[in-house]
Amino acid sequence: MAQAKSAGALVDPAFESSVVAKLRSVLGDSSAMTPLHAPEFSGNEWELVKDCLDSGWVSSVGTYVDRFEREIAALSGAEFGIAVVNGTAALHVALIVAGVQPDDEVIVPTLTFVATANAVRHAGAVPHFVDSSPETLGMDPAALAQHLSTIAERKDGRVINRDTGRPIAAVVPMHTFGHPVDMDPLLALADEWRLPVVEDATESLGSHYKGRPCGGLGAVGTLSFNGNKILTTGGGGAIVTNDPEIARRAKHLTTTAKTPHRWAFLHDEVAYNYRMPNINAALGCAQLSQLGERIARKRHLARQYIEAFDGIDGISAFREPSYARSNYWLNTLLLDTIMIDHRDPLLAALNDANLMCRPVWTLMHRLEMFADCPRAPLKVAENLESRIINVPSSAALGTSGEGVTA
Ligand SMILES: *Cc1c(COP(=O)(O)O)cnc(C)c1O
């Protein structure tokens, strides 16, 4: 029998074929490419976008922006919402309004999409990479506690990284693929160090942590409505918060810091043009009414994957943490550690079979521009990086049947 040899381990191609067959048992047979995550427009999108065109209110002021901001805040368990052009811009401004200054350090998971670390650099600060938990795929509060106690000290009202001498100014947990980070111990730890928590909830709209919606759990949260997210406005994002002062400042900074006047153009600081256009917000309003039903279908699809891979040697479908109700934005297969040599052959076999599957992002500390950034030990993230495969996850692949159960 033909066997590929890689990194000293024998890779049996029968394993790849059996995983492809399992995915086909869930997704059915189709000769067309099954995308990783397709956008869906099954509400009144045409009607609301047409209303923008008919009324001429297409740009950065309009009733859909106001309505979208109210609805997105409510969904996130927050009092205020500020709609912006994308999730990266939301993170950039969220960091500034949380108090991050140039040359500060910001605690970020190394296992995240590049936008999280980019936004820290956009704010002039330095990402400081920390490890993830195998239970949540997100920031590990216990590992972070250990790391801070090793490298940080409180001095003159700030947290200082003793190794670099720079202040640490914020903690940015990210709810990977929609699965909530264990927020209670993380919030307690951040409170102990008096660090603001900026929640990167760009993947977790509609996910709940112990019954509380993601986004509104920290000082300020961020959302994305890019085309590949659970809801889309074409491109878009939002900042959500319960703090009226943070909300006021975020709105001001994202709208060129214009001070109100009947006609004069007065701006009181250098700011950004990050406001979401009304035409995108109209799309968003139409999408929001589909969220609940979409999550139900995604949870049903997740259940099917979990059942299909139950009892299969060497690989399993990732299940939400016990405290969570996840939106299952992206479904994840996890190879057992002894099977990591199968990751690339498996990705090849799945994509050859027209199933669009992807590895997790290259860890941030491995990217050239972030290679010199400070970091904690990153053993778990490095292990996860070699084991994660994301599989087709569009809500349209599920039905509204029974979803994942504990
Ligand atoms: C999608 C995403 C963002 C924001 O992306 P935009 O494309 O700028 O809307 C930020 N962080 C993570 C983890 C994401 O997945």
Side-chain angles (χ1 to χ4, degrees):
M1 185 169 127
Q3 286 185 324
K5 202 169 164 62
S6 88
L10 292 173
V11 173
D12 177 357
F15 176 73
E16 277 70 52
S17 325
S18 72
V19 173
V20 171
K22 280 288 165 200
L23 283 190
R24 281 284 169 220
S25 77
V26 171
L27 300 172
D29 288 316
S30 161
S31 54
M33 171 65 85
T34 306
L36 185 64
H37 200 285
E40 195 180 313
F41 305 100
S42 47
N44 55 348
E45 282 85 356
W46 280 106
E47 196 186 314
L48 300 199
V49 170
K50 183 172 185 300
D51 182 46
C52 290
L53 302 183
D54 290 343
S55 67
W57 291 102
V58 293
S59 203
S60 43
V61 204
T63 53
Y64 290 114
V65 173
D66 298 338
R67 180 174 143 196
F68 188 63
E69 289 180 334
R70 280 196 306 275
E71 294 189 8
I72 217 64
L75 271 175
S76 312
E79 202 169 334
F80 307 99
I82 297 97
V84 296
V85 288
N86 57 52
T88 310
L91 277 162
H92 177 196
V93 168
L95 289 164
I96 296 173
V97 296
V100 173
Q101 306 268 337
D103 293 324
D104 286 349
E105 291 179 12
V106 175
I107 303 285
V108 169
T110 191
L111 194 156
T112 187
F113 177 57
V114 70
T116 320
N118 279 343
V120 172
R121 292 297 299 134
H122 296 332
V126 179
H128 182 137
F129 299 117
V130 297
D131 212 0
S132 298
S133 150
E135 312 298 327
T136 70
L137 311 179
M139 193 179 279
D140 181 341
L144 179 58
Q146 169 68 35
H147 182 58
L148 286 176
S149 71
T150 311
I151 58 117
E153 63 188 3
R154 278 201 67 84
K155 217 163 120 184
D156 306 326
R158 303 214 69 181
V159 181
I160 305 295
N161 177 347
R162 271 196 300 259
D163 295 341
T164 62
R166 285 188 293 249
I168 296 173
V171 180
V172 186
M174 191 280 282
H175 308 298
T176 309
F177 312 140
H179 302 295
V181 167
D182 194 359
M183 289 299 284
D184 279 344
L186 188 74
L187 289 165
L189 178 69
D191 203 43
E192 192 183 309
W193 285 91
R194 276 173 262 157
L195 289 170
V197 171
V198 176
E199 222 181 320
D200 183 342
T202 49
E203 303 187 354
S204 53
L205 179 67
S207 293
H208 285 73
Y209 172 76
K210 297 185 181 172
R212 289 128 68 192
C214 289
L217 299 168
V220 53
T222 58
L223 302 171
S224 167
F225 306 101
N226 191 37
N228 64 345
K229 295 301 199 308
I230 188 160
L231 297 187
T232 186
T233 56
I239 298 165
V240 291
T241 183
N242 282 299
D243 183 321
E245 179 50 27
I246 285 184
R248 189 201 59 75
R249 185 102 209 291
K251 185 159 231 162
H252 195 59
L253 275 180
T254 53
T255 53
T256 67
K258 188 172 183 301
T259 55
H261 189 278
R262 280 178 69 196
W263 50 74
F265 292 99
L266 293 168
H267 308 261
D268 60 7
E269 63 184 307
V270 176
Y272 306 94
N273 175 18
Y274 279 173
R275 193 118 165 97
M276 177 184 280
N278 200 45
I279 193 165
N280 299 79
L283 207 44
C285 289
Q287 290 266 294
L288 278 175
S289 64
Q290 300 161 58
L291 181 64
E293 181 266 348
R294 202 170 286 187
I295 291 176
R297 279 187 283 138
K298 289 172 85 73
R299 291 181 60 80
H300 179 255
L301 178 63
R303 181 195 176 104
Q304 289 185 295
Y305 279 131
I306 290 165
E307 285 174 359
F309 284 91
D310 189 36
I312 303 297
D313 281 344
I315 191 164
S316 56
F318 187 80
R319 187 187 267 269
E320 66 196 346
S322 55
Y323 53 66
R325 189 175 190 280
S326 171
N327 68 5
Y328 278 93
W329 171 56
L330 283 189
N331 277 286
T332 304
L333 297 181
L334 262 186
L335 290 162
D336 291 357
T337 296
I338 55 160
M339 301 296 278
I340 58 174
D341 289 330
H342 282 275
R343 191 195 72 167
D344 291 347
L346 186 52
L347 280 166
L350 290 164
N351 285 280
D352 285 349
N354 267 344
L355 297 165
M356 189 173 164
C357 296
R358 292 291 180 264
V360 75
W361 316 282
T362 298
L363 298 178
M364 293 303 102
H365 69 283
R366 298 194 203 278
L367 297 179
E368 198 181 314
M369 63 281 195
F370 299 129
D372 294 332
C373 293
R375 59 171 111 142
L378 301 170
K379 287 234 156 48
V380 175
E382 287 178 347
N383 171 262
L384 288 171
E385 180 189 34
S386 61
R387 295 168 53 209
I388 290 173
I389 293 182
N390 289 121
V391 294
S393 298
S394 308
L397 299 169
T399 67
S400 295
E402 199 176 338
V404 187
T405 46

